[in-house]
């Protein structure tokens, strides 16, 4: 398991090929200690969000941009923001499409791209090609 996948797992983010599980009650025993000595008790791990990488991450980006375009067209709020390596934020040209967005991410050394709308969020680490698109927690 690579470092990013390990960190995602620690935060309760599940791979796409695993079904969502409901949170367990606090009366159940905590999960076993991992080989790295990190304890993830079931009551602290949320149902989780799906994450993908590679070509599936690009598909998630395209889906998020289509969803954003629909929301903006319907008069609902939406945004696309990037976070550069130096921590500064930039507004991204979401209406330009996935290729233009990824080109901007490369030219501006973006660490993260965040696209969101009413009740959903897409987050992508463009250099690693890892992304998540899910409904916001309620």
């Amino acid at each position: 398991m690579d470092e990013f996948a390990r960190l995602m797992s620690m935060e309760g983010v599940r791979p796409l090929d695993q079904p969502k599980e409901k949170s367990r009650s606090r009366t159940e025993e905590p999960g076993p200690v991992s080989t790295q000595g990190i304890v993830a008790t079931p009551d602290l791990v949320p149902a989780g969000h799906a994450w993908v990488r590679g070509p599936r991450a690009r598909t998630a980006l395209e889906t998020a941009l289509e969803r954003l375009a629909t929301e903006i067209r319907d008069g609902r709020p939406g945004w696309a923001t990037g976070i550069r390596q130096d921590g500064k934020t930039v507004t991204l040209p979401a209406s330009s499409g996935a290729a233009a967005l990824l080109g901007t991410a490369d030219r501006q050394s973006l660490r993260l791209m965040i696209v969101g709308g009413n009740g959903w969020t897409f987050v992508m680490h463009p250099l690693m090609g890892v992304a998540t698109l899910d409904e916001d927690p309620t």
Side-chain angles (χ1 to χ4, degrees):
M1 179 181 291
D2 66 12
E3 183 66 13
F4 186 80
R6 187 180 70 75
L7 290 172
M8 291 293 99
S9 177
M10 286 173 42
E11 293 297 323
V13 178
R14 67 172 171 79
L16 257 185
D17 57 353
Q18 287 182 357
K20 285 186 179 181
E21 294 179 15
K22 296 189 181 209
S23 298
R24 297 182 185 152
S25 71
R26 292 186 177 269
T27 59
E28 293 183 30
E29 291 297 314
V33 176
S34 73
T35 58
Q36 286 128 1
I38 299 169
V39 177
T41 58
D43 59 334
L44 297 178
V45 178
H49 301 279
W51 58 274
V52 293
R53 58 184 156 169
R56 292 177 72 191
R58 173 146 183 163
T59 300
L61 171 61
E62 291 167 346
T63 301
L65 293 175
E66 289 170 10
R67 192 169 181 178
L68 177 64
T70 299
E71 292 209 358
I72 290 173
R73 190 172 38 253
D74 293 344
R76 292 180 285 180
W79 64 93
T81 303
I83 301 174
R84 296 181 1 179
Q85 292 284 29
D86 62 7
K88 294 182 181 175
T89 60
V90 295
T91 300
L92 297 174
S95 61
S96 302
L101 206 61
L102 290 170
T104 299
D106 187 46
R107 283 188 307 279
Q108 297 211 20
S109 298
L110 296 183
R111 184 77 172 159
L112 289 175
M113 297 185 329
I114 301 127
V115 178
N118 189 15
W120 62 275
T121 305
F122 167 84
V123 179
M124 180 177 206
H125 188 301
L127 296 175
M128 295 176 83
V130 179
T132 180
L133 171 62
D134 214 333
E135 298 299 315
D136 293 346
T138 55

